[in-house]
Amino acid sequence: MVMDQEGARRRIGSNALSGLDALRKRHVEMRDTARTDAAKSLPPQAIEIDLSLHDFLSDGLDNAQLAEGYAVNRMRIGIIQNSRPFLQDRIVSAMEEHIAIIDALENRDIETATVAIRHHCDQTLRWWGVT
């Protein structure tokens, strides 16, 4: 979460925000599809789209050591995500949380972005049964 937040800060601070339109489009499409019965076959795609925003944020770190630490943590998260079902309801809520982060990035609102990232992390931990 902290590295996602810092990636958002750095991206906003350096105005390195190209690519948000494509991220938004993929997230909205996944959210809308997940609201239908077709969602049963979506988990691999949903995980890929979920990670695409996190990759965008980590690329904003622009620091090799931070990126390396982020990659290790991302691998752990990937193992957790692939070891349990990614439920239809969680796909919808995760995409909505990501869209809120994208909105904040587009608005260049660091405070809202960091709060939205914290909320997304808190919700993920709740869905995993950690909190």
Side-chain angles (χ1 to χ4, degrees), residues 48-60:
E48 177 189 332
I49 291 169
D50 181 82
L51 292 175
S52 70
L53 177 62
H54 296 285
D55 289 343
F56 180 83
L57 294 170
S58 72
D59 287 346

Side-chain angles (χ1 to χ4, degrees), residues 15-28:
N15 202 33
L17 300 169
S18 66
L20 286 176
D21 288 342
L23 278 174
R24 173 185 294 288
K25 183 176 188 261
R26 291 183 75 202
H27 280 79
V28 168

Side-chain angles (χ1 to χ4, degrees), residues 40-129:
K40 291 174 180 66
S41 64
L42 291 179
Q45 253 184 305
I47 290 170
E48 177 189 332
I49 291 169
D50 181 82
L51 292 175
S52 70
L53 177 62
H54 296 285
D55 289 343
F56 180 83
L57 294 170
S58 72
D59 287 346
L61 292 169
D62 198 28
N63 176 297
Q65 289 176 314
L66 291 176
E68 184 179 329
Y70 193 95
V72 170
N73 193 53
R74 185 180 187 265
M75 188 182 322
R76 290 181 185 126
I77 290 170
I79 291 168
I80 293 169
Q81 284 180 320
N82 286 302
S83 68
R84 57 182 1 135
F86 204 12
L87 303 174
Q88 180 177 350
D89 292 345
R90 181 57 187 148
I91 294 171
V92 172
S93 65
M95 295 301 115
E96 288 174 345
E97 292 158 20
H98 277 211
I99 292 166
I101 295 165
I102 293 167
D103 287 344
L105 292 168
E106 286 177 336
N107 292 325
R108 292 164 175 73
D109 185 338
I110 293 171
E111 179 66 24
T112 300
T114 58
V115 168
I117 291 166
R118 177 179 295 281
H119 174 71
H120 175 59
C121 180
D122 290 346
Q123 291 305 304
T124 298
L125 292 175
R126 187 178 69 81
W127 275 88
W128 287 351

